[in-house]
């Protein structure tokens, strides 16, 4: 096995990647050389704030693997300061609910300036990674602007609905108002970033980490061409359930699955992705040990399935998950 | 007296304005109501750094009068942090010699975003001042881009000269290489910002604080229309010498005067500004007590002159300078 490709969201994906790299570096992948890892990261959470282009998932992966992440929060920079955020609030400039750390701002300044100079996001990401050395090749899913917007119930709006950027739904509303509908602005016109389709087609295995199946992995799959590549590649595709015991481990997968009428269970998500032998995108699926009873239900979909511990409590536990995923199709 | 207009650079001008406002608020202006003060600030020091529009003189005036300045440095924000600067250095992004503080960055983000949205600098400055309440009406000299560049000796350049932005000359080279020539990029095409000419024409007195006569007051006078307004206004125009005993009190007036072949003395600067009765712009001129011997020389130019203490050691001393300036023409 020479190359792995991972379609990743932010925190969950980054933590999974940490475990995967730990497994690779400690030679836990049975019979394998140390494969190269390509990460295709979700960019539909991206947002322009105070004139700066912010890419939360790309940065969470980059900071996590580059050892710059704030471990406690799981996002943003370690030893962060918040002077600019406080000042922007003193100026009364919106959005006040999206606080940028001072160290983090430097990343966004470099990115924004390169984008303004005409570099595509993929080239910018490569430049930023020259500093962070994440140990993976990190690609945005697309160089085009794609944004997840969420229609939420708002009794004060004439239509009863209000559409907000995903970040506003997640950060300001804390995902605790019902998401009635998801809109992926720009998705139909987007193309995969350079290298994305090739990374899927030429991989030995493609992994879907326990990232949000709707607004992280789902948006990556939504970029025209990526789903086709997943179905066409000779590489097996294995996913890990972000739902354990009918609840997400972190984030807001429950709300997002509910918004698109998918059952909030490890089997529900497997069915949502679907079997490649049918019209879906996965060959294998890991559920948590506590969901072992769901294995037959997933296998009935034509998806190889195994129940293993899926709690990413430390790099060893997470490495074991990555090893189990690869063994499922190995 | 109802209105005063001051043409100001950064640190020296801001400190003078502090004294002037102190004099007004403590009713030290004999027989005067409390006049409104309009400040026309130099913007030829402005620079784009990391994609942000930085206006050092406007901000120094705004922060100083709005009680946000770092008193020790004399520029930038009090209680500043430098996380973004350190990160930008870690990314290796130029210019590394121009460090932006995190609090300061918030100002530049607000400004840059408003400029990008199409607001002119004067409108942006007004918006920023809504927070800072500097107690003066603060106007940029122009909404157009004007930049002072400095040709310095560089034996490694084929021509023997290298042209750098004023900030690079001042901050990186610390003004300690000879300035061979000054170039005011964009000056010929610039117009005074809205309100500037009116503020000069309708003032009861116009003051030139002890700011740099070449790259601060000089650049303001260089904007087509401003010098004409100074010559046409019915208001007397009084200046205060930035040169004391043949040396500048702060900054790099010596280097700049040398670059344009003006004698580095209180009388030399008076002669450079020239008498309004001739083809110059001042009616009155204050020199420091230690330069009292120069008074006849200045008066011989047709400029009323008096020697008073010109060291801005504290607000009372500075207020006394402002009072003396107004008395000279009152």
């Amino acid at each position: 096995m020479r190359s792995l490709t991972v379609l990743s969201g932010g925190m969950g994906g980054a933590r999974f990647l940490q475990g995967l790299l730990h497994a690779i570096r400690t030679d836990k992948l049975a019979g394998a050389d140390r494969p190269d890892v390509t990460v295709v990261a979700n960019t539909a959470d991206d947002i322009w704030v105070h004139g700066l282009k912010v890419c939360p998932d790309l940065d969470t992966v980059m900071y996590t693997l580059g050892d710059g992440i704030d471990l406690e929060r799981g996002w943003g920079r370690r030893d962060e300061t918040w002077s600019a955020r406080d000042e922007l609030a003193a100026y009364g400039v919106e959005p006040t609910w999206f606080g940028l750390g001072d160290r983090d701002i430097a990343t966004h300044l470099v990115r924004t300036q390169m984008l303004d100079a005409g570099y595509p996001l993929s080239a910018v990401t490569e430049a930023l990674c020259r500093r962070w050395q994440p140990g993976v090749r990190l690609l945005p899913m697309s160089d085009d602007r794609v944004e997840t917007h969420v229609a939420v119930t708002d009794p004060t709006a004439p239509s009863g609905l209000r559409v907000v950027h995903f970040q506003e739904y997640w950060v300001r509303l804390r995902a605790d108002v019902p998401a009635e509908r998801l809109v992926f602005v720009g998705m139909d016109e987007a193309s995969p970033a350079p290298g994305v389709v090739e990374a899927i087609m030429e991989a030995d295995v493609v992994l879907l980490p326990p990232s949000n199946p709707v607004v992280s992995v789902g948006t990556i799959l939504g970029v025209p061409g990526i789903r086709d590549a997943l179905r066409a590649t000779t590489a097996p595709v294995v996913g890990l359930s972000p739902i354990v015991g009918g609840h997400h481990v972190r984030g807001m997968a429950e709300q997002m699955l509910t918004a698109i009428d998918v059952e909030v269970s490890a089997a529900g998500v497997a069915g949502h992705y679907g079997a490649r032998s049918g019209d879906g995108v996965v060959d294998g699926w890991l559920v948590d040990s506590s969901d072992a009873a769901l294995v037959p239900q997933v296998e009935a979909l034509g998806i190889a399935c195994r129940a293993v511990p899926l709690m990413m409590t430390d790099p060893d536990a997470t490495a074991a998950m990555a090893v189990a995923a690869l063994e499922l199709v190995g």
Side-chain angles (χ1 to χ4, degrees), chain A:
Chain A
M1 189 168 53
R2 285 172 325 226
S3 60
L4 291 172
T5 294
V6 183
L7 313 190
S8 176
M11 284 166 65
R15 195 169 293 196
F16 175 77
L17 285 161
Q18 245 184 343
L20 175 64
L21 292 186
H22 182 60
I24 291 171
R25 286 166 184 157
T26 55
D27 294 312
K28 291 210 174 95
L29 301 194
D33 293 333
R34 295 186 173 186
D36 292 331
V37 177
T38 298
V39 177
V40 178
N42 172 48
T43 56
D45 294 5
D46 293 6
I47 187 167
W48 285 87
V49 186
H50 306 301
L52 298 174
K53 174 76 162 181
V54 179
C55 302
D57 287 359
L58 279 172
D59 288 350
T60 296
V61 170
M62 186 172 78
Y63 292 160
T64 300
L65 301 184
D67 198 25
I69 200 82
D70 182 287
L71 288 170
E72 210 156 303
R73 281 196 310 273
W75 57 270
R77 294 295 314 284
R78 191 160 49 218
D79 304 323
E80 188 57 288
T81 61
W82 301 92
S83 302
R85 176 197 64 185
D86 295 348
E87 290 298 314
L88 289 163
Y91 277 115
V93 180
E94 293 292 340
T96 51
W97 48 266
F98 199 89
L100 296 175
D102 300 323
R103 290 188 192 283
D104 199 31
I105 281 176
T107 300
H108 309 318
L109 284 170
V110 176
R111 175 186 292 126
T112 303
Q113 219 183 351
M114 287 189 71
L115 289 172
D116 284 350
Y119 291 94
L121 182 60
S122 48
V124 175
T125 304
E126 191 181 343
L128 293 171
C129 283
R130 253 173 248 139
R131 171 183 173 198
W132 289 104
Q133 299 289 325
V136 301
R137 187 166 63 122
L138 180 59
L139 305 176
M141 67 186 201
S142 177
D143 282 335
D144 301 316
R145 185 169 178 169
V146 177
E147 277 182 13
T148 302
H149 289 198
V150 184
V152 296
T153 310
D154 181 354
T156 70
S159 66
L161 284 180
R162 192 162 60 89
V163 178
V164 298
H165 188 286
F166 172 76
Q167 292 296 345
E168 185 170 355
Y169 173 76
W170 175 226
V171 178
R172 187 173 77 80
L173 301 175
R174 295 165 192 279
D176 71 1
V177 294
E180 301 293 338
R181 221 184 127 198
L182 301 175
V183 182
F184 303 104
V185 179
M187 186 67 93
D188 292 346
E189 296 77 36
S191 305
V196 167
V197 167
E198 293 78 357
I200 293 168
M201 295 304 290
E202 294 161 16
D204 293 306
V205 178
V206 177
L207 293 168
L208 309 187
S211 292
N212 191 302
V214 186
V215 293
S216 295
V217 178
T219 42
I220 300 173
L221 296 177
V223 177
I226 293 188
R227 189 184 177 86
D228 291 343
L230 266 192
R231 288 187 51 74
T233 181
T234 55
V237 181
V238 194
L240 298 90
S241 178
I243 302 291
V244 170
H247 297 287
H248 53 237
V249 178
R250 65 180 62 75
M252 39 38 233
E254 286 179 61
Q255 293 91 317
M256 295 295 99
L257 290 166
T258 302
I260 61 166
D261 291 321
V262 170
E263 182 192 284
V264 182
S265 77
V269 177
H272 173 62
Y273 283 137
R276 286 222 296 170
S277 54
D279 57 2
V281 294
V282 294
D283 300 292
W285 189 244
L286 291 184
V287 301
D288 184 65
S289 307
S290 64
D291 284 327
L294 297 174
V295 170
Q297 191 183 332
V298 175
E299 288 184 330
L301 299 166
I303 298 169
C305 186
R306 200 178 143 207
V308 298
L310 287 191
M311 290 298 174
M312 299 191 282
T313 45
D314 60 63
D316 280 326
T318 313
M321 287 166 55
V323 171
L326 294 169
E327 283 176 355
L328 185 64
V329 292

